[in-house]
Amino acid sequence: MWSLFQNNSSLFFEGFKNTIYSSLIAMIFSLTIGTLLAIFQLSDNKWIKGISKAYVEFFRNIPLLIIVMFFYVVLPLYVFPFTGFQAGTIGLTIYTSAFIAETIRSGIQTVPKGQTEAALSSGLSYTEAMRYIILPQAFKIVIPPLGGQFINLIKNSSILAMVAGLDLMYQGDLIASATFITFDTYIIVGIFYLILTLPLSYLMTFLERKWEIRS
């Protein structure tokens, strides 16, 4: 196994780097989009609420691969081409944002409504009340499921391998097909994924305990 890693270390690290880039980009944008969708689902405007709910329900209930292939195969026929990395990352962002929206929405609804009313009566706008009062509490509540979504996102980034996204799984497939050493190759790939997911899991646990103590 060690010799396999040494001989192909550049490919493994190249895939590892691209997996990190894709995951970070998707995390940032899916969290942003998901937060906005969660707020919009609780809006009094029926159009905003309806569109947000439709987005969440649609993308939560179709396979991630279909979304990625839409950007990689379908859109280039009518708009402009996407690389495998771009298509995979966009699909990953859209797919994950729907799940994050539901997670954060449940957190917002857990915060007593009286706090929103008190914030509004004290002169804060609805946006300010969400930003300074409601969302900080909601994020503390949903740390465990939110951490789970981020870990799923990292694991789901392997979808890039299906569209030549140059990620860790893609490079692993190349190495396995070239060397015919499949078992050791995918063990190494799995270890790289653990290097990403385990620290994130511990970080989320740490934040959860820290905020529980403060509250």
Side-chain angles (χ1 to χ4, degrees):
M1 185 183 296
W2 178 246
S3 61
L4 175 70
F5 175 72
Q6 284 184 314
N7 294 335
N8 299 278
S9 59
S10 60
L11 289 177
F12 279 120
F13 282 115
E14 178 69 18
F16 187 59
K17 180 189 71 176
N18 287 328
T19 292
I20 292 174
Y21 286 165
S22 176
S23 298
L24 283 176
I25 293 169
M27 276 185 192
I28 293 169
F29 284 99
S30 63
L31 180 60
T32 303
I33 296 170
T35 302
L36 291 175
L37 287 169
I39 295 172
F40 291 160
Q41 285 187 88
L42 301 173
S43 171
D44 292 331
N45 186 306
K46 66 178 182 179
W47 291 106
I48 293 176
K49 185 175 183 178
I51 292 172
S52 302
K53 284 191 172 184
Y55 176 103
V56 171
E57 290 302 317
F58 180 78
F59 288 112
R60 282 178 67 213
N61 290 287
I62 61 173
L64 172 59
L65 181 59
I66 290 179
I67 303 172
V68 173
M69 295 304 290
F70 177 80
F71 283 95
Y72 189 65
V73 177
V74 178
L75 274 188
L77 297 175
Y78 305 100
V79 190
F80 53 83
F82 291 91
T83 66
F85 181 87
Q86 292 169 338
T89 304
I90 293 170
L92 194 59
T93 300
I94 292 173
Y95 181 78
T96 308
S97 67
F99 288 91
I100 288 179
E102 280 298 280
T103 300
I104 296 176
R105 181 186 63 81
S106 65
I108 293 173
Q109 290 182 315
T110 304
V111 178
K113 291 184 178 180
Q115 295 200 26
T116 304
E117 296 169 357
L120 295 175
S121 64
S122 65
L124 294 178
S125 66
Y126 181 77
T127 302
E128 290 173 333
M130 276 290 172
R131 180 179 177 183
Y132 297 113
I133 307 296
I134 307 304
L135 284 178
Q137 296 182 73
F139 277 115
K140 289 182 182 180
I141 293 168
V142 300
I143 277 292
L146 193 59
Q149 292 299 337
F150 287 153
I151 290 171
N152 285 336
L153 184 152
I154 293 173
K155 293 187 290 185
N156 287 338
S157 69
S158 60
I159 196 71
L160 271 71
M162 301 297 295
V163 291
L166 305 179
D167 67 311
L168 184 57
M169 192 66 187
Y170 177 79
Q171 301 293 3
D173 288 341
L174 287 182
I175 294 167
S177 61
T179 62
F180 298 102
I181 307 175
T182 55
F183 182 81
D184 290 354
T185 298
Y186 291 117
I187 288 294
I188 294 171
V189 169
I191 290 171
F192 272 110
Y193 277 110
L194 284 174
I195 291 172
L196 291 175
T197 57
L198 284 180
L200 180 58
S201 177
Y202 291 137
L203 173 62
M204 290 299 177
T205 301
F206 169 76
L207 291 176
E208 182 184 4
R209 291 175 179 172
K210 182 179 179 180
W211 284 340
E212 277 182 352
I213 292 172
R214 285 187 176 181
S215 58

